[in-house]
Amino acid sequence: MATGQKLMRAIRVFEFGGGPEVLKLQSNVAIPIPKDHQVLIKVQACGVNPVDTYIRSGTYSRKPLLPYTPGLDVAGIIEAVGESVSAFKKGDRVFTTSTISGGYAEYALAADHTVHTLPEKLDFKQGAAIGIPYFTAFRALLHSARVKAGETVLVHGASGGVGIAACQIARAYGLKVLGTAGTEEGQKIVLQNGAHEVFNHKEANYIDKIKKSIGEKGVDVIIEMLANVNLSNDLNLLSHGGRVIVVGSRGPIEINPRDTMAKESSIIGVALHSSTKEEFQQFAAALQAGMEIGWLRPVIGPQYPLEKVAQAHEDIIHSSGATGKMILLLK
């Protein structure tokens, strides 16, 4: 290690597989130095996303080199910039859609094209709730589903980070928005954030209630957070030409492909990291406008200090009923 290189606290993962116990808090990690088009961010808050747990378990399509620090979407203040960076300077308030060195740390290195200005009206906790949830929801709705104003969308699992983002975006773009949640508090949050109607997906007959609400036509688009449980029901709720966008799935499910035939419906997967730089810029422009106008307002859920990160990973997968975006606080 270079003499005099400054150190920070960060979570490190040395092996894939296992449970949240593989997340190790270390206080002697070197603070990275930005070069070329990189910036160094003093992290104030970092989003915790289900994808972080999939990467940690080693079952995800992308595997970082070990050891690594998890965390993609941070919010904080620019500490230093590489020599080729012109868009940002020390002291700027920013949020990210990705990091190079990992976000579960006191400082994070990021490529400048993954960094965005955080408006004064949003705090750092809210800033850490934008990167993955809003960009994923925007890609799912506008890019994958190609929604049009006047269509009906069902956000299946609407009270978590991506779900709330999807409700806010869909409402802003002129859709009729239905959402589901598993708790009373979750249902309330969904209604406060753009949904016209909300259903409790823990009720045995909630699918019948949705059918009754949407009538013969069905829903045009379903944003699906738990496809391994809901996909078969989703296919029966769709309209002619309807599409299910799979944002999350935690295992296999049996479906009858015939359910797609008469309606000529589609099942489309979405992965934010498949977006091109140009697509990210397009999503960022739309979402920046949402922040300025005021329809993009992240709802913060459970908050954890860095020391409790293993608990956060446990809770994001196993706790029942999300209520807002889970974040780690680094202040």
Side-chain angles (χ1 to χ4, degrees):
M1 191 182 292
T3 330
Q5 181 150 19
K6 293 182 178 149
L7 304 177
M8 65 173 179
R9 292 159 71 237
I11 299 297
R12 304 292 278 163
V13 174
F14 292 89
E15 58 180 317
F16 294 115
E21 72 280 353
V22 302
L23 299 160
K24 307 289 185 199
L25 176 58
Q26 299 199 313
S27 51
N28 60 347
V29 180
I31 296 177
I33 295 163
K35 39 185 209 292
D36 300 335
H37 284 280
Q38 297 172 346
V39 303
L40 181 69
I41 299 163
K42 187 176 190 341
V43 179
Q44 304 290 309
C46 179
V48 179
N49 298 285
V51 71
D52 299 342
T53 71
Y54 308 155
I55 295 169
R56 187 205 75 221
S57 69
T59 58
Y60 196 61
S61 54
R62 288 184 306 159
K63 274 192 192 173
L65 291 171
L66 292 167
Y68 78 98
T69 295
L72 299 161
D73 40 5
V74 305
I77 298 160
I78 300 267
E79 179 74 14
V81 299
E83 55 274 19
S84 306
V85 175
S86 57
F88 300 103
K89 62 185 187 311
K90 184 176 163 71
D92 286 352
R93 301 171 85 248
V94 293
F95 70 93
T96 67
T97 51
S98 186
T99 62
I100 295 165
S101 62
Y104 293 11
E106 290 177 319
Y107 292 87
L109 201 61
D112 60 359
H113 67 89
T114 67
V115 178
H116 308 276
T117 301
L118 181 65
E120 288 294 337
K121 62 165 78 168
L122 295 181
D123 63 29
F124 290 115
K125 294 179 192 178
Q126 291 173 305
I130 300 168
I132 300 299
Y134 281 86
F135 282 72
T136 300
F138 195 91
R139 183 171 180 83
L141 285 162
L142 279 296
H143 177 273
S144 306
R146 296 189 164 85
V147 294
K148 299 183 188 75
E151 286 190 317
T152 302
V153 61
L154 169 66
V155 182
H156 215 157
S159 63
V162 181
I164 290 168
C167 289
Q168 291 178 359
I169 294 165
R171 185 65 180 257
Y173 278 75
L175 282 93
K176 180 171 185 204
V177 186
L178 312 177
T180 77
T183 64
E184 207 169 308
E185 191 190 351
Q187 289 179 76
K188 204 157 75 185
I189 286 172
V190 172
L191 281 178
Q192 286 164 351
N193 286 282
H196 294 88
E197 276 185 85
V198 68
F199 303 88
N200 184 344
H201 54 226
K202 298 258 172 80
E203 284 179 9
N205 65 336
Y206 86 99
I207 294 290
D208 295 328
K209 287 186 177 175
I210 295 174
K211 280 183 175 162
K212 199 172 169 187
S213 170
I214 58 181
E216 285 299 296
K217 184 181 177 296
V219 284
D220 301 298
V221 172
I222 298 176
I223 305 296
E224 182 50 69
M225 309 302 168
L226 198 58
N228 55 299
V229 172
N230 299 322
L231 189 56
S232 186
N233 279 329
D234 289 344
L235 294 176
N236 289 307
L237 289 170
L238 288 177
S239 63
H240 189 88
R243 43 272 185 227
V244 179
I245 311 298
V246 178
V247 171
S249 185
R250 297 181 186 170
I253 182 174
E254 189 174 302
I255 61 165
N256 185 348
R258 188 182 285 271
D259 293 339
T260 65
M261 291 163 63
K263 293 176 177 175
E264 298 193 321
S265 55
S266 322
I267 302 165
I268 303 167
V270 67
L272 180 60
H273 66 79
S274 296
S275 311
T276 63
K277 259 191 204 180
E278 291 70 31
E279 284 166 352
F280 266 113
Q281 284 168 349
Q282 180 202 327
F283 304 162
L287 295 171
Q288 206 77 45
M291 290 179 232
E292 288 162 16
I293 295 161
W295 59 254
L296 191 163
R297 39 178 207 286
V299 176
I300 304 306
Q303 304 171 35
Y304 300 79
L306 207 49
E307 296 77 11
K308 296 273 168 62
V309 67
Q311 190 61 53
H313 269 223
E314 184 69 27
D315 292 350
I316 200 161
I317 296 300
H318 297 295
S319 74
S320 71
T323 48
K325 169 75 180 145
M326 184 182 286
I327 59 166
L328 292 177
L329 289 175
L330 281 112
K331 281 189 280 193

